[in-house]
Amino acid sequence: MALELIEKSEHIVLIAHKNPDADSLGSACAFYSYLLRLRKKVTLFCTSADVNPNLAFLPWFEKITDRFPDDADCMISFDCGSYGRLGIERELPLINFDHHHSNDFYGTYNFIDTGAISTTEAVYDFFVANDIKINGKMALSLYAGLVDDSKCFSAPGCNAKTFEMAHRLLVLGADHAACIEWLYRRRSLASLRARGALLKQMRLFLDGRLAVFEVGMTLLEETGASIAECKQVLDEALGMRSVRVALMYVERPGGGVKLSLRTDGGVDASKIMACYGGGGHKHRSGARIVHENIQDLVKEMMTMIQKEMQ
Ligand SMILES: [Mn+2]
């Protein structure tokens, strides 16, 4: 049992995925509070050295480290759709909390709820099922993941349970205003510049049903925006009535290409990205590949998307 494993472990490493979002980090932060209560030694690990400063409102944010401790005896991963997303490989028992369809139960114990809107929902359910008291810090951490992964309660997967969980977390002390302020009202100049440039160069295909964005190295250098910041325009493109699928390809140093796909759910994004060794959700998915000719690749993907639309 996962609880027994936690009980007998002394030093537990909580793992958020590379370039963590509020869901991955929020889940880990909620667990951090819980494990401290159990008087465990805890490490909050993430392979990314610089984490999005917009997440600094999360409790324990300052504890994030990219150094994996030598004396750990247990790991818990959050929101990692595949084992590779952990960013490390260790022969340690692993508890796997996630909500991605692509998750193949790589943990020793797995809490995968593909119906959950966020991984924090899976963690919340675990706390509730095991009578684990949720304090204010834990509530805020869980709420942050819920707000972010539900696109501020606008994603199609939002249902009565989403709002019930939101209600309970607010009662338990989550600060809604702080979450919104940090997650949505602190956009950097770099992100606004990137957004302007990207919306200007957006191309539409397939009778306006597919929006395509190309992010070259120059755009990233000139605006100073992160890839995560660039990806926000995908959701904006989907806000257009005709657009059902939005694709972004980002040129990476060394010849790689990072693909991000968002859909309205009619086309299964994770299915298309699986063809390129990637994964994710039905509505949003990504992959990283090495491809010599980006234009050929885009053409190939467009054919695939067109087929899926019919
Ligand atoms: Mn998530």
Side-chain angles (χ1 to χ4, degrees), residues 81-82 85 100 102 227 231 234 246-250 257-263 268-289 301:
S82 65
R85 294 282 283 154
H100 290 89
S102 57
I227 296 176
K231 285 201 304 200
L234 289 169
L247 166 71
M248 176 174 284
Y249 53 98
V250 187
V257 185
K258 197 172 151 43
L259 303 168
S260 294
L261 196 63
R262 297 270 198 283
T263 79
D268 187 342
S270 64
K271 191 177 156 190
I272 292 179
M273 284 298 116
C275 302
Y276 299 98
H281 302 282
K282 197 174 170 194
H283 290 90
R284 54 202 155 99
S285 195
R288 220 186 152 127
I289 58 161
M301 289 187 61

Side-chain angles (χ1 to χ4, degrees), residues 91-162:
E91 291 289 326
L92 289 173
L94 169 67
I95 304 173
N96 168 14
F97 279 95
D98 193 22
H99 66 135
H100 290 89
H101 280 277
S102 57
N103 199 302
D104 63 359
F105 294 72
Y106 52 75
T108 320
Y109 298 104
N110 302 280
F111 296 89
I112 316 299
D113 182 357
T114 53
I117 201 152
S118 62
T119 293
T120 60
E121 185 178 328
V123 172
Y124 170 83
D125 287 343
F126 175 84
F127 287 159
V128 172
N130 292 293
D131 267 330
I132 293 163
K133 192 176 172 291
I134 298 173
N135 66 21
K137 278 184 177 164
M138 292 156 85
L140 173 66
S141 307
L142 296 173
Y143 190 75
L146 186 66
V147 167
D148 206 31
D149 266 28
S150 70
K151 299 269 168 247
C152 211
F153 304 106
S154 72
C158 272
N159 55 31
K161 194 182 166 217
T162 314

